[in-house]
Amino acid sequence: MTSLTVPPVPAGPATSAKQLATVVLRIREMILRGELAPGERVRETEIADRLNLSRTPVRQALPALAQEGLLVASGRRGYAVRTFTAQETVEAIELRAVMEGLAARTLAERGAPELLLSALRTCLAQGDAIFAKRMIEEEDEARYGVMNDRFHRLILEGAGRPLLVSFAQRCNIVPFVSPLSLAFQQRGGEGMYNILFYAHQQHHAIVDAIASRDGARAEFLFREHALTQKNSIDLDLTWADWRPA
């Protein structure tokens, strides 16, 4: 697996950060549901028409989806949907969980610095704020993804084991593996709320284990956390007909 080098995503004056996050989410869902087929070239004009948008936010969203591994470069300046299998995603999620679990165990047994624990608790507070209203709105999915990505990166990077960070990043380029990548729309609002709320309670338990210096529990909880992610995206049902390149 090789990493992808793509340019940063410009927000630009014509597209707010909130709108850009929403467009990324909607195109991601189109890929998950098979509305954009594996190997299909992504045409800005067609996507914009289907989403009833101008081409600008679509153009700005595509590099972000390439960074996630959902798209690959095609032609001089275009993108195509990456071809992959559900099994690849399952394996990458499991491998990432092993590395994150090892990082959490290292942190717990060594003793996490208070500054790192404070940053992790800030993530917990941000997640709690999302769930306080007891419902999930469209923009919450993007907010949760950003928080979730930071939570996982803090633990990986805080362990002080650069190889773990490097290997986890390689797993993250497999579609729907990155903590930033969420796709729950097919479950509806209540289903999405239940899954994300449960995942965030696992975040709380992981931080408690790290703070208590219980390395074995911190590592075990990350394995459980990976199972939650696999269940959240209905791999067997959604990707039954996808084939490797």
Side-chain angles (χ1 to χ4, degrees):
M1 232 183 292
T2 57
S3 61
L4 298 172
T5 301
V6 284
V9 185
T15 307
S16 68
K18 179 179 178 181
Q19 182 188 17
L20 184 58
T22 299
V23 175
V24 168
L25 172 63
R26 293 176 69 182
I27 298 175
R28 189 190 296 137
E29 293 286 351
M30 292 171 69
I31 295 171
L32 177 62
R33 292 195 300 265
E35 295 175 18
L36 295 172
E40 179 180 346
R41 186 173 174 83
V42 179
R43 294 174 172 80
E44 292 176 8
T45 302
E46 292 181 7
I47 299 296
D49 289 344
R50 289 166 71 172
L51 297 179
N52 195 27
L53 296 168
S54 70
R55 291 178 59 181
T56 299
V58 174
R59 183 183 306 117
Q60 293 172 342
L62 298 185
L65 292 161
Q67 287 175 327
E68 292 182 18
L70 290 175
L71 303 179
V72 294
S74 176
R76 294 178 59 187
R77 293 167 51 182
Y79 295 96
V81 179
R82 183 184 169 192
T83 303
F84 61 96
T85 66
Q87 186 60 33
E88 286 181 290
T89 296
V90 169
E91 290 176 357
I93 290 173
E94 291 172 346
L95 286 170
R96 197 195 73 203
V98 169
M99 289 178 279
E100 290 176 330
L102 182 55
R105 184 174 194 133
T106 299
L107 269 175
E109 293 179 347
R110 188 178 63 202
E114 188 55 43
L115 188 63
L116 176 58
L117 289 173
S118 177
L120 289 170
R121 288 170 179 142
T122 296
C123 290
L124 297 181
Q126 290 170 344
D128 291 343
I130 291 173
F131 298 112
K133 59 184 182 294
R134 301 189 179 278
M135 61 179 292
I136 289 288
E137 298 171 339
E138 188 174 87
E139 60 269 22
D140 292 330
E141 205 167 335
R143 289 173 57 206
Y144 184 90
V146 171
M147 179 280 296
N148 192 43
D149 182 59
R150 176 165 170 74
F151 180 88
H152 286 254
R153 282 192 294 106
L154 283 169
I155 291 174
L156 273 170
E157 295 170 3
R161 305 181 71 166
L163 276 178
L164 285 182
V165 177
S166 175
F167 292 154
Q169 287 174 340
R170 293 180 69 183
C171 289
N172 285 345
I173 69 170
V174 178
F176 304 111
V177 172
S178 168
L180 186 62
S181 176
L182 303 174
F184 302 105
Q185 198 173 71
Q186 70 274 22
R187 288 180 175 268
E190 183 178 354
M192 188 193 331
Y193 178 91
N194 291 337
I195 290 169
L196 293 183
F197 181 78
Y198 179 68
H200 193 56
Q201 297 316 298
Q202 291 176 319
H203 288 164
H204 277 273
I206 288 167
V207 173
D208 287 345
I210 292 173
S212 301
R213 306 189 71 163
D214 188 343
R217 177 161 173 75
E219 184 172 18
F220 170 78
L221 285 167
F222 260 111
R223 303 292 183 94
E224 289 293 302
H225 199 48
L227 181 61
T228 301
Q229 182 177 0
K230 286 191 293 184
N231 290 341
S232 73
I233 49 181
D234 283 335
L235 289 172
D236 292 337
L237 295 176
T238 306
W239 295 337
D241 297 327
W242 286 57
R243 298 291 184 267

